[in-house]
């Protein structure tokens, strides 16, 4: 149990590594993008620590990597991030009714190169949102299961998720966490996170 008295399950959605981060193609080779995506995902799994962690994927390579990293796998065949997360959360809710304690979930993006810990974010009856550095996206979100929360990942998701928390009648907490605010999608992100000149193996 964490310091907040809630033990969540961590969900990390991961697409296939091989074609990941296409918007970095002008700066990194396909191999470098593959390694960067894999290393960042490994860092997020490490940040989950001892919390039960499941990788949401529909890719054999990712599933094999997840098992090697000590994480479980939720095989979700869905078109898009929001349907995938919705299905993964529904799967946890089904498990929780079978007697396992999955009353809370932390959803973390897999491209957070400086992630240190995901502990302490989950709080009973509360949606905790860690936005990106632009206050636009939702890098990490913790919320209770069984609330009918609708996910709005994509541009403007931070504001949309704040509104959804209030609509759902849940308490809302916004946390700015420097180690979690950098996600890597564009060359500007690489520069801001000072990863542009690093070899992929150094991006852990």
């Amino acid at each position: 149990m964490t310091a907040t008295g809630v033990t969540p399950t961590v969900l990390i959605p991961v697409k296939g590594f091989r074609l990941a981060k296409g918007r970095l193609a002008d700066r990194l080779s396909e191999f470098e993008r593959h390694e960067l995506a894999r290393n960042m995902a490994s860092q997020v799994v490490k940040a989950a620590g001892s919390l039960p962690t499941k990788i949401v994927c529909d890719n054999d390579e990712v599933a094999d990597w997840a098992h090697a990293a000590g994480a479980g796998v939720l095989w979700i065949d869905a078109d898009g991030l929001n349907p995938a997360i919705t299905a993964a959360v529904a799967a946890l809710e089904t498990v929780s009714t079978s007697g396992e304690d999955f009353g809370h979930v932390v959803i973390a993006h897999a491209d957070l190169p400086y992630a240190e810990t995901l502990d302490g974010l989950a709080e009973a009856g509360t949606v905790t949102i860690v936005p990106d550095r632009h206050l636009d996206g939702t890098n990490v979100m913790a919320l209770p299961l069984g609330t009918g929360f609708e996910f709005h990942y994509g541009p403007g998701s931070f504001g949309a998720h704040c509104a959804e928390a209030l609509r759902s009648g849940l308490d809302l907490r916004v946390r700015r966490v420097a180690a979690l605010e950098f996600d890597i999608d564009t060359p500007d992100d690489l520069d801001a996170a000072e990863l542009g000149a690093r070899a992929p193996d150094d991006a852990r």
Side-chain angles (χ1 to χ4, degrees):
M1 190 170 288
T2 68
T4 61
V6 176
T7 301
T9 296
V10 176
L11 294 181
I12 306 171
V14 179
K15 297 190 296 184
F17 296 126
R18 194 154 303 282
L19 299 178
K21 301 302 172 187
R23 283 184 283 177
L24 301 179
D26 290 341
R27 293 279 292 274
L28 300 176
S29 69
E30 180 178 331
F31 173 77
E32 289 171 327
R33 297 195 307 274
H34 175 284
E35 292 301 292
L36 177 62
R38 185 178 176 119
N39 289 336
M40 288 191 296
S42 295
Q43 184 64 33
V44 178
V45 171
K46 181 180 178 181
S50 62
L51 296 175
T53 301
K54 296 183 182 294
I55 306 303
V56 181
C57 68
D58 62 356
N59 179 280
D60 288 327
E61 180 193 7
V62 172
D64 290 343
W65 160 82
H67 290 308
V73 171
L74 270 180
W75 190 277
I76 302 292
D77 188 2
D79 186 14
L81 180 58
N82 287 308
I85 290 297
T86 298
V89 167
L92 290 188
E93 290 172 345
T94 298
V95 172
S96 70
T97 62
S98 301
E100 292 190 42
D101 182 15
F102 288 134
H104 214 287
V105 64
V106 172
I107 303 163
H109 285 325
D111 59 351
L112 309 177
Y114 296 142
E116 295 175 353
T117 181
L118 300 176
D119 197 10
L121 296 177
E123 186 175 334
T126 301
V127 176
T128 301
I129 300 176
V130 181
D132 65 13
R133 63 193 176 95
H134 304 293
L135 295 178
D136 180 74
T138 305
N139 281 2
V140 182
M141 181 162 56
L143 69 156
L145 296 172
T147 64
F149 191 95
E150 294 185 11
F151 299 100
H152 302 279
Y153 287 104
S157 70
F158 171 51
H161 285 143
C162 287
E164 179 64 19
L166 298 176
R167 184 200 68 78
S168 300
L170 298 165
D171 291 336
L172 172 65
R173 182 174 62 147
V174 175
R175 289 192 56 185
R176 298 298 304 275
V177 182
L180 298 175
E181 71 179 357
F182 280 102
D183 58 325
I184 306 300
D185 286 313
T186 68
D188 285 344
D189 294 331
L190 277 179
D191 293 338
E194 299 182 350
L195 293 177
R198 299 185 180 193
D201 285 344
D202 293 330
R204 294 183 182 138

